[in-house]
Amino acid sequence: MRYDRSGSGVGYGQYAQTQASSGSVTTTVYNYQTGVVTAVNSDNVVIAGNGQQTTIKTNSSTQYVNGKKPVVNDTVSVVGTTADNTITATQIGVVNQ
């Protein structure tokens, strides 16, 4: 497994995970972002950080670190994939201090 990181600032960016198995190679690009939750509903979490607001789609596959779902004003770290300009969370962690 190999990770390549790129990003233009602390708190957001992307990395690629490359795996080789049975003679084939698969690369998945993940986006990561941290910010403060400004809204939550059953399908989305909206976070603000780094001068922008981002809507993150959630679904039944989204994993919540320690089982804790975020609420407004939580600081979160999100990892997800992007398709059709939509970020879908694979994992969300609440990182309040």
Side-chain angles (χ1 to χ4, degrees):
M1 191 179 307
R2 182 179 64 119
Y3 293 94
D4 294 318
R5 292 188 176 275
S6 64
S8 56
V10 174
Y12 66 100
Q14 61 183 202
Y15 65 92
Q17 176 182 349
T18 303
Q19 293 180 309
S21 176
S22 301
S24 65
V25 176
T26 303
T27 300
T28 304
V29 176
Y30 293 95
N31 294 292
Y32 63 89
Q33 186 161 357
T34 58
V36 176
V37 176
T38 60
V40 178
N41 65 41
S42 61
D43 298 327
N44 298 299
V45 174
V46 180
I47 62 173
N50 301 306
Q52 62 185 358
Q53 186 165 294
T54 305
T55 300
I56 311 290
K57 181 179 169 143
T58 58
N59 59 32
S60 60
S61 297
T62 302
Q63 297 178 354
Y64 297 93
V65 176
N66 296 324
K68 184 170 178 5
K69 291 188 177 184
V71 297
V72 172
N73 292 325
D74 277 344
T75 299
V76 295
S77 178
V78 178
V79 176
T81 57
T82 301
D84 299 324
N85 294 319
T86 300
I87 300 172
T88 301
T90 54
Q91 185 177 63
I92 298 176
V94 176
V95 293
N96 292 337
Q97 296 184 13

